[in-house]
């Protein structure tokens, strides 16, 4: 079991305190044993002195035989010997003659005989080391040591016997054990206090380490922007500053890698080519949607042999690459013969290839299988050729539109001049013809211009107005066509949808107040940014919102909703409760110049569709006559830094 930093510190402090307590306890026990042995020796020698003094009084100057008899029968000696049974550690007392025969003892059964065993003197144990003393005291078999003193006859000091006082180690052990209880209690209390003190100190001293460990744990789990708030003034604050710097750098790198991973995953998932990745053992690690129809539903993690039948061309290529560690292909396959496939490969077949992915040390990491549908490639080539034709046709029509626009401008200028001349001629005064005399004949110079009537002038001007109106309408059509076909210079950048709503809201509110429409926005503040051109997106949203307000002449509700979608998209929904769009017109609303309004140009929704297509987005529309219409724009999400 692994211990944490706090547990290790508590265990270390506890060990130190324990060693200290054990050391002091050992020293205390050794001193205690020495003290108890000395005390017992003193007590034994006190008894010896009492017996010796009494013996001097009993046998002064007597012979040995008389001395033995006097000692045996003396009541004082008997009283002293009997009193030894009340000593805590004294096992017995006896007086022996010169031959070792017991003369007197507190145990009458020993008189006349010898002591049961030869006993070592207590002073040798007292003089030994503490280890030997403790080993002797706590040995399995209790031992009895003696304190001896010779008896002499005055005045010659002739030794005629000896005094023996027995001290048992068992009794000494009991005394030490009783005294040790207090020492053990004191040691246990000291150890407990040490543990508590270690816990408190660890909490105080290791708090910065706990904070750093918590930060590392959060950072290891992938959390972004992890920072440590450590008190300044010590080494841990410098470590915290360094940690914050590293955390910011890791967060930036992870954000970048996450964006690149999302872009790569999105790109692989949207590939028309079928892609699969196998590990060195042949297990499937990844497959994109184009490859999945060829594999079982639960293919991820399964072995190659369980995914594809024997003889399948994909299986053969992967197995050969795993065996040779070399890339294979491209190989033209006319038929897959898939086991669970549901997709058609096309008449042109497939191009399949495998690539051996190796690490920097040369070890095989995996095998990448790529299969390309030749039918789709053929369709793409046809589409490209058709697109080139459309581009050429667009350039041609744009040139024609420019050529048409120039005569229209000239026609408008000359039409305005014609209107001016007509009005000027109608308001000029009438002139009478002047007579001319030529010989005898009277004649008029020229036919006089008669004034035009007001009704005739108004009729002519009315025709001029009609011509001007039609020319202006034709000019608007040409302008709209040029605007629709002219390539746009996209400036893609992260755009906040809430900012777009704020910019178009004054125009929408003014239009909504005309018919009593209530405008509601949802999710704009919390929605992710989109990757787009702000000006073009603003124009598209404004067109949809104005159309929605105009579709509610009797009032209603305009709802603008924003929210994240799957596959890295953002959904912008424009809903109204207006008159709706008839089903037969739904397929034509994005066609250029198609309109159901009396004064509409048929360009607004076409521009919306074109702007969304330029942003690699999608437009969805749902409408129910009499209940309203909903436009849903799916725009790419911006990669956040």
């Amino acid at each position: 079991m692994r211990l944490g930093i706090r547990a290790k510190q508590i265990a270390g402090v506890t060990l130190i305190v324990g060693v200290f307590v054990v050391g002091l306890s050992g020293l205390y026990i050794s001193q205690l044993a020495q003290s108890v042995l000395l005390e017992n020796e003193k007590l034994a020698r006190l008894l010896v002195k009492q017996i010796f003094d009494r013996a001097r009084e009993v046998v002064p100057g007597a012979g040995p035989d008389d001395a033995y008899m006097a000692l045996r029968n003396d009541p004082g000696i008997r009283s002293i010997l009997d009193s030894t049974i009340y000593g805590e550690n004294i096992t017995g007392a006896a007086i022996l003659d010169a031959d070792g025969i017991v003369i007197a003892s507190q145990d009458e059964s020993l008189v006349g005989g010898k002591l049961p065993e030869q006993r070592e003197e207590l002073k040798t144990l007292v003089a030994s080391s503490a280890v030997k003393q403790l080993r002797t005291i706590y040995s399995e078999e209790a031992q009895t040591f003696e304190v001896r003193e010779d008896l002499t006859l005055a005045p010659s000091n002739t030794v005629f016997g000896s005094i023996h006082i027995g001290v048992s180690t068992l009794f000494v052990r009991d005394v030490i054990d009783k005294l040790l209880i207090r020492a053990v209690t004191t040691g246990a209390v000291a150890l407990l206090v040490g543990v508590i003190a270690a816990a408190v100190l660890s909490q105080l001293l290791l708090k910065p380490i706990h904070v750093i460990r918590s930060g590392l744990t959060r950072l290891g789990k992938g959390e972004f922007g992890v920072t440590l708030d450590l008190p300044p003034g010590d080494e841990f604050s410098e470590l915290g500053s360094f940690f914050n710097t590293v955390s910011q750098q890791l967060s930036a790198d992870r954000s970048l890698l996450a964006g690149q991973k999302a872009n790569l995953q999105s790109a692989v998932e949207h590939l028309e080519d079928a892609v699969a990745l196998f590990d060195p053992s042949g297990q499937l690690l990844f497959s994109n949607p184009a490859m999945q129809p060829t594999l079982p539903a639960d293919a991820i993690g399964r072995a190659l042999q369980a995914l594809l039948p024997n003889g399948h061309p994909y299986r053969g290529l992967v197995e050969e690459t795993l065996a040779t560690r070399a890339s294979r292909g491209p190989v033209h396959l006319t038929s897959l013969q898939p086991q669970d496939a549901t997709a058609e490969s096309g008449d042109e077949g497939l191009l399949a290839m495998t690539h051996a992915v190796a690490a920097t040390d040369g070890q095989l990491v995996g095998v990448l299988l790529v299969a390309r549908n030749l039918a789709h490639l053929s369709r793409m080539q046809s589409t490209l050729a058709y697109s080139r034709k459309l581009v050429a046709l667009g350039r041609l029509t744009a040139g024609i539109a420019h050529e048409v626009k120039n005569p229209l401008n000239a026609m408008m200028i000359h039409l305005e001049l014609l209107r001016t001349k007509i009005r000027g001629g109608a308001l000029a005064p009438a002139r009478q013809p002047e007579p001319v005399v030529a010989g005898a004949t009277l004649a008029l110079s020229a036919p006089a211009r008669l004034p035009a009537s007001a009704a005739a002038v108004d009729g002519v001007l009315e025709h001029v107005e009609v011509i001007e109106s039609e020319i202006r309408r034709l000019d608007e059509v040409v302008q709209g066509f040029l605007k629709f076909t002219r390539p746009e210079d996209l400036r893609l950048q992260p755009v906040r949808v809430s900012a777009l709503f704020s910019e178009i809201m004054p125009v929408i509110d003014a239009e909504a107040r005309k018919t009593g429409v209530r405008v509601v926005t949802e999710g704009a503040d919390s929605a992710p940014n989109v990757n787009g051109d702000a000006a073009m997106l603003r124009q598209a949203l404004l067109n949809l919102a104005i159309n929605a307000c105009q579709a509610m002449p009797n009032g209603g509700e305009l709802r603008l909703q924003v929210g994240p979608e799957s596959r890295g998209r953002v959904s912008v929904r424009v809903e109204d409760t207006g008159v709706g769009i008839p089903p037969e017109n739904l397929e034509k609303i994005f066609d250029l110049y198609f309109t159901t309004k009396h004064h509409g140009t048929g360009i607004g929704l076409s521009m919306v569709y074109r702007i969304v297509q330029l942003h690699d987005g999608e437009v969805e529309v749902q409408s129910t006559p009499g209940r309203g219409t909903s436009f849903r724009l799916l725009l790419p999400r911006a990669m956040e830094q």
Side-chain angles (χ1 to χ4, degrees):
M1 181 179 65
R2 300 181 62 182
L3 299 178
I5 298 176
R6 183 179 181 183
K8 290 180 180 178
Q9 186 184 19
I10 294 175
V13 174
T14 303
L15 180 61
I16 294 174
V17 175
V19 170
F20 185 72
V21 170
V22 170
L24 289 180
S25 299
L27 181 61
Y28 175 75
I29 292 173
S30 63
Q31 293 180 350
L32 182 62
Q34 180 74 16
S35 176
V36 172
L37 289 175
L38 287 174
E39 183 179 355
N40 282 274
E41 185 183 18
K42 290 179 180 179
L43 178 60
R45 292 201 177 277
L46 178 61
L47 291 174
V48 168
K49 187 176 184 305
Q50 291 177 355
I51 296 173
F52 186 84
D53 292 340
R54 182 62 182 173
R56 283 292 185 93
E57 296 176 0
V58 172
V59 290
D65 295 335
D66 296 334
Y68 298 150
M69 185 62 64
L71 291 175
R72 183 180 297 118
N73 298 325
D74 183 61
I77 296 294
R78 170 59 54 191
S79 176
I80 296 174
L81 292 176
D82 290 341
S83 66
T84 58
I85 63 175
Y86 300 104
E88 293 183 356
N89 303 324
I90 304 301
T91 59
I95 300 175
L96 279 64
D97 61 9
D99 297 327
I101 303 300
V102 178
I103 301 172
S105 174
Q106 92 283 356
D107 187 2
E108 292 294 336
S109 62
L110 297 178
V111 176
K114 289 189 176 184
L115 293 178
E117 57 184 352
Q118 186 67 29
R119 298 169 179 173
E120 188 178 354
E121 287 195 61
L122 183 59
K123 62 181 180 180
T124 58
L125 180 61
V126 173
S128 63
S129 64
V131 176
K132 184 177 180 181
Q133 290 176 357
L134 293 175
R135 187 185 300 119
T136 304
I137 293 172
Y138 286 93
S139 61
E140 294 182 0
E141 295 182 359
Q143 300 182 32
T144 301
F145 290 83
E146 290 182 342
V147 176
R148 303 172 187 172
E149 184 69 28
D150 292 336
L151 289 175
T152 60
L153 293 175
S156 60
N157 291 329
T158 303
V159 177
F160 70 94
S162 59
I163 303 171
H164 294 255
I165 305 297
V167 178
S168 175
T169 58
L170 181 61
F171 296 144
V172 175
R173 184 192 311 171
D174 292 340
V175 173
I176 295 177
D177 289 343
K178 291 178 181 179
L179 296 175
L180 274 179
I181 295 177
R182 183 181 303 173
V184 171
T185 304
T186 304
V189 172
L191 192 61
L192 180 61
V193 172
V195 172
I196 296 175
V200 174
L201 289 176
S202 66
Q203 185 68 24
L204 296 177
L205 298 179
L206 297 182
K207 183 178 179 180
I209 297 180
H210 297 330
V211 174
I212 295 174
R213 184 178 64 177
S214 176
L216 291 174
T217 302
R218 293 166 55 194
L219 200 62
K221 292 181 179 179
E223 186 174 343
F224 290 89
V226 179
T227 57
L228 301 181
D229 186 14
L230 296 176
D234 56 6
E235 293 78 2
F236 288 111
S237 62
E238 299 178 1
L239 183 59
S241 301
F242 180 74
F243 177 90
N244 294 337
T245 303
V246 174
S247 175
Q248 293 175 2
Q249 184 63 38
L250 287 177
S251 298
D253 294 342
R254 283 178 174 175
S255 299
L256 181 60
L257 289 176
Q260 294 176 349
K261 179 181 178 181
N263 293 338
L264 179 61
Q265 184 175 0
S266 176
V268 173
E269 288 181 352
H270 289 82
L271 282 177
E272 293 293 338
D273 295 344
V275 179
L277 181 63
F278 298 86
D279 67 4
S281 64
Q283 290 185 350
L284 180 65
L285 300 177
F286 170 79
S287 63
N288 69 338
M291 177 65 75
Q292 290 170 3
T294 313
L295 305 173
D298 55 345
I300 301 298
R302 296 177 59 182
L304 178 65
Q305 293 76 10
L307 294 176
L308 300 172
N310 192 16
H312 195 285
Y314 287 173
R315 177 174 173 178
L317 286 173
V318 175
E319 288 179 342
E320 186 174 351
T321 302
L322 290 173
T324 61
R325 301 298 196 265
S327 301
R328 287 279 298 152
V331 178
H332 183 218
L333 306 177
T334 57
S335 176
L336 268 186
Q337 299 177 355
Q339 183 181 20
D340 299 321
T342 58
E344 295 291 338
S345 62
D347 296 336
E348 291 82 356
L350 297 169
L351 277 180
M353 64 193 75
T354 55
H355 176 67
V357 183
T360 55
D361 57 356
Q363 295 294 325
L364 183 67
V365 176
V367 174
L368 183 67
L369 171 65
V370 180
R372 176 166 297 174
N373 192 331
L374 296 180
H376 173 72
L377 185 60
S378 177
R379 290 195 298 269
M380 289 294 295
Q381 292 174 347
S382 300
T383 303
L384 288 175
Y386 184 67
S387 299
R388 294 190 185 98
K389 294 179 181 179
L390 287 180
V391 171
L393 181 59
R395 293 175 180 174
L396 176 62
T397 53
I400 295 174
H402 278 289
E403 293 299 325
V404 172
K405 181 174 173 57
N406 293 332
L408 287 179
N409 292 334
M411 291 170 64
M412 288 294 295
I413 294 172
H414 287 282
L415 191 62
E416 186 63 28
L417 293 174
L418 179 61
R419 180 189 291 109
T420 303
K421 289 183 178 181
I422 291 175
R423 289 177 177 172
L427 297 177
R431 293 186 295 114
Q432 298 294 330
E434 298 178 354
V436 178
V437 178
T441 304
L442 182 61
L444 297 176
S445 62
R449 182 169 56 86
L450 299 178
S453 65
V457 172
D458 291 340
V460 173
L461 291 178
E462 183 178 350
H463 290 298
V464 171
E465 294 291 340
V466 172
I467 295 173
E468 181 183 10
S469 175
E470 292 302 316
I471 290 176
R472 289 186 183 279
R473 191 176 71 83
L474 183 59
D475 184 66
E476 290 179 359
V477 171
V478 173
Q479 290 282 4
F481 178 77
L482 287 176
K483 188 175 182 180
F484 189 82
T485 58
R486 184 184 297 116
E488 295 288 346
D489 184 14
L490 284 178
R491 297 181 179 180
L492 298 179
Q493 58 184 350
V495 179
R496 293 180 56 194
V497 183
S498 59
L500 295 179
F501 284 178
S502 300
E503 294 174 2
I504 67 176
M505 198 56 66
V507 182
I508 298 175
D509 288 339
E511 187 70 24
R513 282 195 296 269
K514 295 179 182 178
T515 55
V517 174
R518 187 169 68 95
V519 182
V520 179
T521 60
E522 295 180 358
D525 294 333
S526 60
N529 295 343
V530 299
N531 187 36
D533 187 301
M536 298 183 68
L537 293 177
R538 188 187 311 114
Q539 179 183 357
L541 293 177
L542 187 59
N543 287 347
L544 291 177
I546 295 298
N547 286 349
C549 291
Q550 294 175 354
M552 295 180 285
N554 299 322
E557 182 178 270
L558 171 61
R559 187 177 297 273
L560 305 177
Q561 295 178 322
V562 188
E565 293 287 339
S566 60
R567 298 188 304 165
R569 300 296 182 96
V570 178
S571 170
V572 182
R573 192 183 298 270
V574 181
E575 296 181 347
D576 64 67
T577 57
V579 297
I581 302 174
E584 62 272 13
N585 292 338
L586 278 178
E587 296 182 357
K588 298 182 282 185
I589 59 174
F590 295 117
D591 294 346
L592 187 61
Y593 305 128
F594 175 80
T595 182
T596 57
K597 301 178 182 178
H598 295 295
H599 302 288
T601 61
I603 298 177
L605 289 181
S606 300
M607 290 300 299
V608 172
Y609 184 81
R610 182 170 181 270
I611 289 172
V612 175
Q613 290 297 317
L614 288 175
H615 284 77
D616 193 22
E618 300 176 18
V619 183
E620 298 176 357
V621 58
Q622 295 178 351
S623 182
T624 303
R627 299 186 61 180
T629 304
S630 173
F631 284 89
R632 181 169 175 246
L633 310 183
L634 293 176
L635 301 173
R637 182 185 302 181
M639 184 179 66
E640 301 294 340
Q641 297 298 330

